Amino acid sequence: MKKDKLKVDPIKNGTVIDHITAGKALQVAEILNISSSETEVMVGINLFSQKMGKKDIIKIENREITQEEANSIALISPTASLIFINDYEVVKKYTVEIPQEIKRHIICPNTNCITNVEGVKTKFTLAGKSPIEVKCSYCEKKYSIEEVKFRF
Ligand SMILES: [Zn+2]
């Protein structure tokens, strides 16, 4: 039974976001807009992990995390892995990858940026990996990932 490997209560259908950097689960929950979600969500913070010492975990019933959402999760927590569950079985599992380019989903903090003034769709490129920084393709300002807000 593959579900034993999760070391968490199983969910029937949905996505488990495992190996989230400890303390980052709430930020991940925010970009996924989980507070307004109608489905069952379980968030675990500072759980013991053999691999990481401590980790956070989020389990979402009846929702499949999209590639775009996975990319945003990677920016917050590059160690996160996604486990897709169908009828208590693991059907797919992968570690998120930090994207080189992020379209639309990051709001530029620069209020004078054309993306805010004229509502142009945002485009950011990865400017640094450790710590993670992104650069607005329009105003060309760089921001740490902690400084930007996500929108889906
Ligand atoms: Zn900008």
Side-chain angles (χ1 to χ4, degrees):
M1 292 292 276
K2 286 175 179 171
K3 67 186 174 193
D4 294 339
K5 290 185 185 161
L6 297 179
K7 290 180 185 158
V8 290
D9 294 334
I11 57 173
K12 186 165 192 278
N13 294 299
T15 309
V16 176
I17 309 165
D18 199 3
H19 301 112
I20 301 170
T21 311
K24 296 288 183 187
L26 295 180
Q27 235 177 312
V28 172
E30 198 183 307
I31 61 170
L32 297 176
N33 208 7
I34 273 168
S35 54
S36 61
S37 150
E38 306 232 318
T39 60
E40 243 178 61
V41 179
M42 285 157 278
V43 179
I45 294 174
N46 292 334
L47 305 183
F48 172 76
S49 161
Q50 216 137 37
K51 192 163 112 186
M52 301 167 65
K54 277 179 177 181
K55 67 173 182 182
D56 289 359
I57 192 165
I58 299 176
K59 291 179 276 176
I60 312 167
E61 287 274 4
N62 299 319
R63 176 164 165 191
E64 191 162 316
I65 299 301
T66 65
Q67 188 61 54
E68 284 185 317
E69 288 169 333
N71 286 346
S72 296
I73 293 168
L75 293 169
I76 305 282
S77 171
T79 54
S81 56
L82 297 184
I83 302 159
F84 297 89
I85 312 281
N86 186 23
D87 203 16
Y88 297 111
E89 291 285 335
V90 174
V91 289
K92 193 168 58 173
K93 185 174 179 174
Y94 66 90
T95 302
V96 294
E97 269 179 53
I98 301 172
Q100 294 301 313
E101 192 178 275
I102 309 98
K103 284 180 177 164
R104 301 200 310 282
H105 299 301
I106 291 179
I107 300 169
C108 185
N110 174 8
T111 51
N112 293 320
C113 178
I114 190 168
T115 60
N116 289 313
V117 177
E118 291 183 23
V120 174
K121 287 192 173 71
T122 63
K123 188 174 139 190
F124 280 79
T125 53
L126 190 67
K129 276 197 168 179
S130 173
I132 293 178
E133 283 186 320
V134 290
K135 182 178 163 197
C136 177
S137 300
Y138 291 95
C139 66
E140 302 198 317
K141 285 192 162 53
K142 278 189 198 171
Y143 299 96
S144 78
I145 203 65
E146 312 290 336
E147 291 177 286
V148 300
K149 282 201 183 322
F150 289 85
R151 166 184 56 203
F152 277 93

